[in-house]
């Protein structure tokens, strides 16, 4: 019995690393958009769903491979995110709307996107529940029981690569400095000659690209439906909030949430008979505790240079 539990916990840790990397990727998009535009974007969940469906259409209807499908998913969702800002959030910003207005508007945008996709998917046979036709191949089997496949390596590597790319963008490029200036004080940035509109557009595009890649990985790993992004909404916000809305903290918080969530629900089920239906409560509890005791995030950035860049 003990060896079986040990293998189950190890399996949970491996899956937790994968899920935590996904939470971080989705949290990156939330973090960047919120930092620069002050939009707590609930519609980000639907961007993830659109990424899953765009990848599926690219492979099934267009006959593309995995890599082109991932690129299509990222580009399609970048377009959807940019359109959301141009049609909804930017007009509200120009009218002097508050963050609360943005939040309520993002819920409306998310509902429109979700139910529009659901209506289309329900009318096309085989599109209500989807999964990419090419399943991830197995890389290794540990102990003859725990299989590690391509997705278990792809998601963490993509999360780490994204963190490095964002670090370079925000600390080594003029665009990153313009984004930081806009996030700090949009009015002063505009007076200083920064094209704030261009910065907004790039910000939404980056957020959409990351959401699209997240959706691709989800549809590559599990079966997706028009509500798959909504099911991840609590976790992506928990990662962003626990990470203090910095991409350094978001990746660490996301991985912690993923591993803790998987292991805790396995142990709770083994010893207490708790079902996996209660797993979202773990993210909710962690998020509430962070807001109560560490509202700046569980990952405190000690270096002054990193803190400024974050």
């Amino acid at each position: 019995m003990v060896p079986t539990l040990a293998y189950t916990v190890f399996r949970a840790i491996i899956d937790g690393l994968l899920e935590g990397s996904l939470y971080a990727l989705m949290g990156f998009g939330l973090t960047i958009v919120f930092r620069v535009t002050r939009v707590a974007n609930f519609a980000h969940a639907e961007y993830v769903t659109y990424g899953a469906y765009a990848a599926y259409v690219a492979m099934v209807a267009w006959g593309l491979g995995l890599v082109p499908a991932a690129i299509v998913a990222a580009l399609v969702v970048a377009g959807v995110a940019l359109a959301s800002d141009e049609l909804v959030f930017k007009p509200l910003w120009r009218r002097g709307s508050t963050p609360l207005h943005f939040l309520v508007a993002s819920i409306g945008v998310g509902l429109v996107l979700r139910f529009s996709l659901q209506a289309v998917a329900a009318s096309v046979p085989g599109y209500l529940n989807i999964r990419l036709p090419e399943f991830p191949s197995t890389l290794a089997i540990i102990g003859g029981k725990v299989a590690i496949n391509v997705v278990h390596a792809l998601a963490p590597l993509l999360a780490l690569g994204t963190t490095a790319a964002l670090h370079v963008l925000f600390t080594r490029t003029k665009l990153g400095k313009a984004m930081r200036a806009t996030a700090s004080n949009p009015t002063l940035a505009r007076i200083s000659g920064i094209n704030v509109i261009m910065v907004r557009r790039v910000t939404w595009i980056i957020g959409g690209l990351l959401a699209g890649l997240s959706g691709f990985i989800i549809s590559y790993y599990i079966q997706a439906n028009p509500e798959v992004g909504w099911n991840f909404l609590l976790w992506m916000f928990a990662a962003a909030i626990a990470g203090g809305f910095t991409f350094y903290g978001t990746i660490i918080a996301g991985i912690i949430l993923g591993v803790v969530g998987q292991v805790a629900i396995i142990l709770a089920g083994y010893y207490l008979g708790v079902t996996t239906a209660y797993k979202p409560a773990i993210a909710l509890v962690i998020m509430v505790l962070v807001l109560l005791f560490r509202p700046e995030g569980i990952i405190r950035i000690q270096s002054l240079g990193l803190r400024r860049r974050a």
Side-chain angles (χ1 to χ4, degrees):
M1 186 66 70
V2 175
T4 302
L5 177 60
Y7 277 117
T8 303
V9 171
F10 182 69
R11 167 86 273 170
I13 293 173
I14 297 298
D15 290 339
L17 289 172
L18 165 58
E19 291 191 4
S21 300
L22 280 172
Y23 302 156
L25 280 173
M26 292 182 279
F28 286 150
L30 281 174
T31 294
I32 293 173
V33 169
F34 178 76
R35 280 295 189 184
V36 177
T37 68
R38 290 292 181 257
V39 177
N41 188 19
F42 275 64
H44 197 79
E46 317 316 322
Y47 299 164
V48 173
T49 305
Y50 272 63
Y53 272 85
Y56 183 77
V57 170
M59 292 193 71
V60 174
W62 301 345
L64 300 180
L66 277 175
V67 175
I71 295 173
V72 168
L75 293 177
V76 167
V77 179
V80 173
L82 182 60
S84 299
D85 182 50
E86 295 291 335
L87 297 176
V88 179
F89 300 115
K90 188 186 293 182
L92 289 174
W93 169 65
R94 284 174 170 162
R95 289 174 172 83
S97 297
T98 66
L100 179 59
H101 294 127
F102 291 139
L103 186 148
V104 174
S106 73
I107 295 175
V109 171
L111 291 174
V112 170
L113 291 175
R114 188 193 320 161
F115 290 118
S116 298
L117 178 62
Q118 193 167 27
V120 173
S123 65
V124 180
Y127 274 70
L128 202 55
N129 294 287
I130 62 169
R131 184 173 181 177
L132 296 188
E134 184 174 334
F135 289 178
S137 57
T138 301
L139 296 177
I141 299 178
I142 300 176
K145 295 184 178 182
V146 180
I148 299 177
N149 59 42
V150 171
V151 180
H152 290 102
L154 175 63
L157 288 176
L158 190 57
L160 290 172
T162 301
T163 304
L166 290 175
H167 175 82
V168 173
L169 172 65
F170 278 91
T171 61
R172 295 290 185 268
T173 67
K174 291 183 178 180
L175 174 61
K177 294 175 182 178
M179 294 174 73
R180 285 159 50 196
T182 304
S184 177
N185 191 323
T187 302
L188 182 58
R190 184 168 58 251
I191 294 174
S192 301
I194 294 175
N195 189 339
V196 176
I197 300 299
M198 183 272 292
V199 169
R200 283 185 65 97
R201 288 172 178 164
V202 172
T203 299
W204 282 93
I205 288 173
I206 293 175
L209 289 173
L210 295 175
L213 289 176
S214 302
F216 161 76
I217 295 176
I218 289 173
S219 61
Y220 189 32
Y221 180 55
I222 60 174
Q223 189 177 69
N225 57 54
E227 294 187 353
V228 66
W230 174 257
N231 295 333
F232 281 94
L233 180 66
L234 178 61
W235 294 95
M236 66 177 81
F237 263 97
I241 292 172
F245 280 101
T246 67
F247 48 84
Y248 304 109
T250 298
I251 186 171
I252 299 175
I255 291 175
I256 290 175
L257 282 165
V259 174
V260 169
Q262 283 285 349
V263 173
I265 201 65
I266 291 295
L267 295 178
Y270 184 82
Y271 289 109
L272 303 175
V274 177
T275 67
T276 56
Y278 291 95
K279 183 181 174 183
I282 298 172
L284 183 61
V285 169
I286 292 176
M287 189 162 55
V288 169
L289 290 176
V290 168
L291 290 174
L292 285 174
F293 300 106
R294 292 290 295 273
E296 75 277 11
I298 60 176
I299 310 300
R300 187 187 299 274
I301 299 176
Q302 299 293 346
S303 166
L304 179 60
L306 286 179
R307 185 158 60 246
R308 285 175 176 169
R309 293 167 183 173

